[in-house]
Amino acid sequence: MLSVVARPLGLGASCCRGSRRAIATVISGNKASKLVRERLKEEVEKMKVQFCGFRPSLVVLQVGDRDDSNLYISTKLKAAAEEINRVLCCFGDVLQIGIDAKHVRLPNSATQDEVLHSIMSVNENQTVHGLIVQLPLDTVNHINSELVTNAVSPEKDVDGLSCINAGKLSRGDLNDCFIPCTPNGCLELIRQTGVSVAGKHAVVIGRSKIVGAPMHDLLLWNHATVTTCHSKTPDLPEQVGRADILVVGAGRAEMVRGGWVKEGAVVIDCGINYVPDETRASGKRVVGDVHYASANQRAGFITPVPGGVGPMTVAMLMENTVQSAQRFLLRSQSHG
Ligand code: NAP
Ligand code: LUD
């Protein structure tokens, strides 16, 4: 069995050895996501046998051609696709689950009506179980992204971004909604530490619809006491210092300094920020919202960037798609 934490549990919590501090245990999103994807592969194989070749199906709708969206979408498609021939497989160690994933790309000149029309046609297609609209929309027109996200049928909204699913999550109806992939991935990483959420003080930085707000709800309904911080929070270091569990999704490169972090805390860094780096061929590198080198001197557990939350977002999209297909099968059975 793969361990997703880089040191045995129990050694993870920060402790002092003489005057030298122990560094935090790294929670590997790469390893945790592999475990999830392996489990899903088995579930999809079972569905295929039991329901005569049935396969969960996902559509990823993109408007425009942003480089970052292209990268994230290609990771999602690779994780989903059925492995036809292991020898011909060119996706390195990407483990493929057997979800039938389709990428629909509209040009950046597409109008709001055209985007809505595409969504409606996927909503009506009974062979598709999951639909996501990759954000942000890259468009030359004015498109209301709230309207677009809410046009996705709640039964196919495997991103969990429609107001129906978000409302259910905020009320604690966790078993009757799709939980947004990034917060769900963060919770899974927290679980991997062995630290229980119930009764802990959790601090979330950010209140976006895709990360901060659903993370707050998910931690709350897993019985943490939650403080959510944002750009108008006047005493961010103080708030961070109270966190047993800290989840950061601010989009500010290395903003959270190690000195703010409570000793032994679980630190989950959602940030994906590209900073200039002349030592790299690409001229840039990716860093999180947490200053890793100083935070890992105080945290008990910490996620790296890359290789932390990002891969879990992808794994949780696969999980929601398989769940949606299972619900679809249950509904069709109960309708005779
Ligand atoms: P967003 O929509 O820009 O929201 C950022 C949030 O952070 C806002 O609520 C904002 O407050 C708050 N914030 C900004 N600056 C702050 C500051 N100085 N102090 C305290 N709060 C501050 O971004 P997002 O979509 O949530 O994404 C956040 C980060 O996570 C980005 O780096 C993004 O790339 C990354 N991300 C990663 C994944 C993944 O899978 N790893 C998934 C999604 C996002 P206000 O509300 O007051 O403006
Ligand atoms: N929109 C997302 N927009 C952006 N990182 C992702 C993401 C994979 N509707 C909708 O997929 O869930 C979404 N739904 N998002 N994101 C960000 C957000 C969306 C971010 C990172 C990764 C998906 C990922 O695989 C890798 C890592 O962190 O190790 C590589 C990072 C790198 O650039 O090197």
Side-chain angles (χ1 to χ4, degrees):
M1 162 85 172
L2 251 139
S3 169
V4 307
V5 287
R7 279 192 288 155
L9 293 180
L11 294 179
S14 259
C15 56
C16 293
R17 286 194 206 105
S19 59
R20 286 189 54 207
R21 295 197 40 75
I23 60 166
T25 297
V26 179
I27 318 163
S28 167
N30 285 330
K31 287 183 185 166
S33 81
K34 191 157 183 254
L35 291 178
V36 172
R37 288 178 292 131
E38 275 167 357
R39 173 172 52 75
L40 293 176
K41 191 170 195 276
E42 280 172 23
E43 280 180 38
V44 171
E45 266 160 22
K46 274 191 217 145
M47 286 165 106
K48 206 169 170 178
V49 172
Q50 203 181 343
F51 298 95
C52 314
F54 176 91
R55 282 170 69 187
S57 146
L58 169 71
V59 169
V60 179
L61 179 63
Q62 181 181 16
V63 179
D65 191 24
R66 280 175 63 109
D67 285 345
D68 57 353
S69 296
N70 292 340
L71 173 70
Y72 304 149
I73 291 172
S74 86
T75 312
K76 291 173 184 182
L77 297 175
K78 283 176 193 170
E82 186 167 35
E83 189 176 353
I84 297 165
N85 184 332
R86 206 171 266 278
V87 181
L88 292 178
C89 174
C90 56
F91 297 137
D93 79 334
V94 174
L95 185 138
Q96 296 164 301
I97 294 162
I99 292 173
D100 179 17
K102 193 168 157 219
H103 182 193
V104 175
R105 193 208 299 261
L106 299 177
N108 69 356
S109 56
T111 63
Q112 180 168 289
D113 277 353
E114 284 165 344
V115 176
L116 292 174
H117 186 264
S118 286
I119 293 172
M120 293 311 163
S121 79
V122 180
N123 281 347
E124 282 157 22
N125 183 341
Q126 289 306 301
T127 67
V128 179
H129 313 108
L131 166 60
I132 70 163
V133 183
Q134 190 72 22
L135 297 172
L137 304 174
D138 170 25
T139 172
V140 296
N141 299 312
H142 177 75
I143 301 186
N144 179 342
S145 49
E146 190 63 14
L147 195 70
V148 165
T149 350
N150 281 322
V152 175
S153 156
E155 292 82 37
K156 298 190 183 187
D157 171 30
V158 285
D159 249 341
L161 298 179
S162 70
C163 58
I164 298 281
N165 280 308
K168 286 181 177 176
L169 175 59
S170 77
R171 290 177 176 211
D173 296 337
L174 268 56
N175 294 320
D176 183 34
C177 69
F178 289 110
I179 297 169
C181 304
T182 300
N184 210 9
C186 293
L187 185 67
E188 188 54 42
L189 290 171
I190 295 165
R191 287 205 177 109
Q192 296 290 346
T193 66
V195 172
S196 69
V197 173
K200 295 290 175 358
H201 191 158
V203 172
V204 178
I205 305 184
R207 55 178 165 181
S208 69
K209 292 185 176 105
I210 194 166
V211 182
M215 191 73 239
H216 165 278
D217 296 340
L218 198 52
L219 287 164
L220 181 68
W221 293 109
N222 279 276
H223 314 302
T225 303
V226 190
T227 302
T228 296
C229 303
H230 46 77
S231 65
K232 303 287 185 292
T233 300
D235 52 350
L236 198 59
E238 239 171 81
Q239 296 297 339
V240 168
R242 296 200 183 102
D244 303 308
I245 297 168
L246 174 68
V247 183
V248 190
R252 299 277 179 265
E254 299 181 323
M255 176 184 77
V256 173
R257 313 306 292 183
W260 303 3
V261 173
K262 182 174 177 176
E263 280 191 16
V266 177
V267 176
I268 308 289
D269 187 354
C270 300
I272 301 273
N273 308 287
Y274 297 97
V275 295
D277 184 346
E278 280 162 15
T279 68
R280 304 279 172 108
S282 63
K284 58 182 182 180
R285 78 192 147 92
V286 63
V287 298
D289 289 347
V290 175
H291 185 260
Y292 187 88
S294 56
N296 83 346
Q297 301 294 308
R298 293 195 43 117
F301 297 88
I302 192 165
T303 57
V305 177
V309 174
M312 288 305 282
T313 295
V314 176
M316 291 298 133
L317 175 63
M318 302 301 123
E319 166 109 54
N320 280 354
T321 304
V322 172
Q323 201 179 89
S324 182
Q326 281 163 342
R327 288 178 188 167
F328 170 88
L329 286 171
L330 276 175
R331 279 198 300 271
S332 38
Q333 277 175 325
S334 68
H335 292 140

